[in-house]
Structures are given as structure tokens and as C-alpha cells.
Amino acid sequence: MNHDERKLRKALQELEVGHELKKANRKTAKLRRAAGEREGEERFDARLALKSDPETLEDWAPGGRRARPRSLAVTVTQLPTVADAEDAAGRTGMVSAIAVGCCRVLVDGEEFDCRLAPAVALEQRTGLAVGDWVRLRERGGMHRVESVLPRRSRLARPDPHNPHLERVLAANVDLVLIATALRAPGVKPGLIDRVLLAASAAGVEGAVVVNKVDLSPDLAHDEELSTLEPLRAAGVRVLECSARTEQGLEALADLVAAQTAVLVGQSGCGKTSLLNALSPGLGRRVGAARESDGKGRHTTTSSSLQALAGGGFLIDTPGVRQFGLWQPSAEALAAAFPEIELASASCRFRDCRHGRGERGCAVVAAIECGAIPRSRLDSFLRLSSVLV
């Protein structure tokens, strides 16, 4: 042992004092509880803990018994080399489902059930969503999510239990499909406008999927369907589909192909039925709307991702009856209502509030001549009241 090695060993041994070890024990126990790990199910990796934070060092004996902490000097001599660390970096995959302390990850067409590393588990509610790309590491036949890769987009709403927290419904999506139904429960334009604004805030395209069109005797004159004409006029794609008769499913499959889409909509509108129709053999449980009030039942209780037979991925989400907005901006609102934004450029005043008593409002003039439907301005004004 040369002089430098003796000096390093002496310095490390000086750290092995009761106070430091107690701090390490407490912090490691906290991390283990946050990850939902029971003692004995998985040995804590002391070497990785030491590399990231020396205070998290603690060793665990087989069967969950607390063992005497190993010598820090011995641990340092057993740290993996840089090459070993690169080999242990693992593969990347996409999260397809999430539960407390664990998730399912799709890697090259194969799914793995994975535990979450303590740091990931601590931020699970806000930092992990279906559609996230994650880095995995395998040890002893078990897979663990070590980190979440940066997102390119996210569809979010306020957390139902704490409106001050963000709840990410889906990550890394290219398309938001707003599902509704022609009958039971019927079209809800207000809900559709709010989800379209959330899609605009995420920087992705939004489209409307109208299910159960087979229930209409005359689509060309259907009053429910006519409420979506202003959206068509504004350039929003509206697809008329039926999961039962497969009408319009080919167009829907072509739209999703080569993309990752998220399906959001009312309970009972048939989101899961559409997913089953797009992926024959999937056989997910579905439920009909209640006869008493026409409202849907929650048969999908958590988001999940499915690879479609025709290509692309579709994220199915639990049904909603309301959709809260997470910190919408004026820029996102303008992108969601392009026809109003275009007309407003000709308003007499730059801070024109459009239809609230100002003279020289170009948007009001466009409505009076029929260029913009009045319902679009009404929706714009309602949503502008919740801007941050």
C-alpha cells in the first residue's frame, strides 16, 4: 500500500463516526419507505448510494436484517470502474402503466414490471407519467427505473386532490384525441374546448373523435353533431366513428399511425371500446352509461399505453366529467382560437376585450357578418377568464 492509498484509507475511516452513521441510516430508511420497498425484498445498493451521496450509505443483510455498516474504505475499493458503470446504465423504454412504487415499461416490444428507484419514487406523482421515457437497470433478474428522461411534451391538469399541484396525464404525446359521444352522454362543447386548450398549452395537435354515430338516424342534420361545426370551421379535425359498427375507424387508425396519441374524454363515451376496436384481441373491460341519467361509469381507473395493430401508440385515460386547466397562457389560448386571434389583429385597440363594449372590435364585426360563430367567442371569453 503506497502513501496515497494509506492517506485515503485514513481519511475515510475518520468518517466512520457514530453521528455520521446514524444520519446515513435515517436517510436510507426514509428513501426505502418512499420507494415502497419492504425490508428484505431488495438489497440497497451501497456502492451507487455512495457515488451519489455518501450519507445514504447503509448495508442490508439477506432477509431484511440490518447488518453492521461496511467499512467505507472497503466500499471505495469495490466501486465499479467507469466501464462497469456504462455497462450498468441499462436500456431505455416507455412507461405503459403506473402503480404505487412501480410501473410497467415497454422496451423493444417487450414489457417489464419495474420497481422505482428511491429518487424517482419520491417524485412519482408529478415526475412520472404514462408515455415517459425512462432508463432501466437490471439486477438479480429484477428491473428498476433509475431515471426519467426529459419530456418533449406533456398533457396536464391540476391534481384533483391538490389544485396547486400539476398532474401529468400523459407525456411525450404528438396528438390529443378528445373523445365524445353523439348519445349517452352526448356532446359537451365546453369540455372539448378546455381539452383543446390543454393540448395547445402542450404544443401538440388536438382532434375530436365522435363515437356512437351509429345511434343517429340522420348525421347530416343531427343537432348534437352540428354543435361541432364551429370547430371544423376553425380547422379542428372532427372524426365521426362507431366502435360498434367500425365506421370511421380506418381514418382514426391512419391519424394515430406513427404517433403517440392520448385519448381523453367523458366517462361512458366509449374510449375503451374504441381502443378495443383499434386493437382486436385486446379485450379491455367496458361499461355502458347509466340509464338513469345517461352518465358514464368509470371502467378505466388509470392511464395505460397500448401499441396499435396499425402502428402508433394510444394512451387510454380515465373518464372525466370536468377538465381543469393547468396554468393556461394567453399564447396557448390564441393558438386554440386561431380565427379570433387573426381577426383581433384588426381591432381598433390593442387591449380590446372582444365583445365587452369596445368600439371598433374586429372580432365582433366578424361575428356579425357570420365569419366567426358566436359560440366560439363565448367559449374564448370563458377560457380567457382563467388565464395565468
Side-chain angles (χ1 to χ4, degrees), residues 125-126 157-167 326:
R125 292 188 65 184
T126 57
R157 62 182 297 195
D159 190 295
H161 306 292
N162 186 348
H164 300 291
L165 292 179
E166 180 186 31
R167 171 67 63 86
W326 176 255

Side-chain angles (χ1 to χ4, degrees), residues 34-36 95-105 113-116 120-121 124-125 128-130 302-303:
V95 175
S96 60
I98 299 175
V100 177
C102 61
C103 67
R104 181 165 292 178
V105 180
D113 290 325
C114 308
R115 299 184 66 83
L116 303 181
V120 178
Q124 178 177 340
R125 292 188 65 184
L128 186 67
V130 173
S302 61
S303 299

Side-chain angles (χ1 to χ4, degrees), residues 170-183:
N172 300 312
V173 295
D174 309 297
L175 175 67
V176 177
L177 297 174
I178 302 102
T180 187
L182 207 58
R183 304 286 186 273

Side-chain angles (χ1 to χ4, degrees), residues 81-387:
T81 64
V82 174
D84 292 335
E86 292 175 349
D87 292 340
R91 295 179 289 176
T92 59
M94 185 162 49
V95 175
S96 60
I98 299 175
V100 177
C102 61
C103 67
R104 181 165 292 178
V105 180
L106 183 65
V107 182
D108 298 329
E110 185 177 1
E111 284 191 322
F112 298 95
D113 290 325
C114 308
R115 299 184 66 83
L116 303 181
V120 178
L122 282 171
E123 303 293 333
Q124 178 177 340
R125 292 188 65 184
T126 57
L128 186 67
V130 173
D132 267 323
W133 283 89
V134 296
R135 191 172 297 280
L136 306 180
R137 191 168 70 89
E138 182 181 2
R139 185 179 62 182
M142 297 182 63
H143 292 82
R144 189 168 80 167
V145 173
E146 297 293 334
S147 60
V148 181
L149 302 182
R151 295 165 174 159
R152 70 174 187 275
S153 66
R154 71 186 191 280
L155 180 68
R157 62 182 297 195
D159 190 295
H161 306 292
N162 186 348
H164 300 291
L165 292 179
E166 180 186 31
R167 171 67 63 86
V168 180
L169 296 179
N172 300 312
V173 295
D174 309 297
L175 175 67
V176 177
L177 297 174
I178 302 102
T180 187
L182 207 58
R183 304 286 186 273
V187 178
K188 299 291 180 61
L191 176 64
I192 293 172
D193 287 337
R194 295 174 78 86
V195 181
L196 284 173
L197 178 53
S200 176
V204 299
E205 179 187 0
V208 180
V209 180
V210 185
N211 192 21
K212 305 183 184 181
V213 296
D214 57 290
L215 299 180
S216 175
D218 184 5
L219 281 178
H221 301 89
D222 192 286
E223 292 184 2
E224 288 280 320
L225 196 59
S226 66
T227 60
L228 298 178
E229 286 306 315
L231 289 179
R232 296 184 197 264
V236 178
R237 283 197 258 194
V238 178
L239 287 76
E240 301 167 6
C241 301
S242 171
R244 188 174 68 85
T245 65
E246 298 186 355
Q247 177 182 343
L249 290 187
E250 184 176 352
L252 178 58
D254 290 342
L255 179 61
V256 178
Q259 298 194 84
T260 298
V262 56
L263 194 59
V264 181
Q266 302 159 260
S267 300
C269 70
K271 299 187 304 299
T272 305
S273 296
L274 289 169
L275 181 56
N276 285 338
L278 291 172
S279 295
L282 184 61
R284 292 196 173 184
R285 187 172 67 90
V286 299
R290 293 194 299 262
E291 294 182 1
S292 59
D293 56 10
K295 294 183 178 180
R297 300 182 177 94
H298 291 287
T299 53
T300 299
T301 57
S302 61
S303 299
S304 60
L305 177 142
Q306 179 66 34
L308 301 180
F313 299 94
L314 187 60
I315 299 174
D316 189 19
T317 63
V320 297
R321 295 195 179 101
Q322 296 179 335
F323 192 92
L325 294 170
W326 176 255
Q327 300 181 349
S329 65
E331 292 76 12
L333 183 64
F337 292 83
E339 74 279 32
I340 293 179
E341 177 68 9
L342 180 62
S344 67
S346 301
C347 286
R348 180 179 179 183
F349 301 106
R350 180 173 298 180
D351 59 348
C352 181
R353 296 185 296 171
H354 313 312
R356 293 174 178 169
E358 295 87 348
R359 290 180 294 178
C361 177
V363 175
V364 172
I367 290 173
E368 290 175 348
C369 71
I372 298 176
R374 179 72 204 189
S375 61
R376 288 288 285 170
L377 178 58
D378 291 341
S379 180
F380 176 88
L381 294 177
R382 283 196 303 271
L383 294 175
S384 65
S385 66
V386 298
L387 295 182

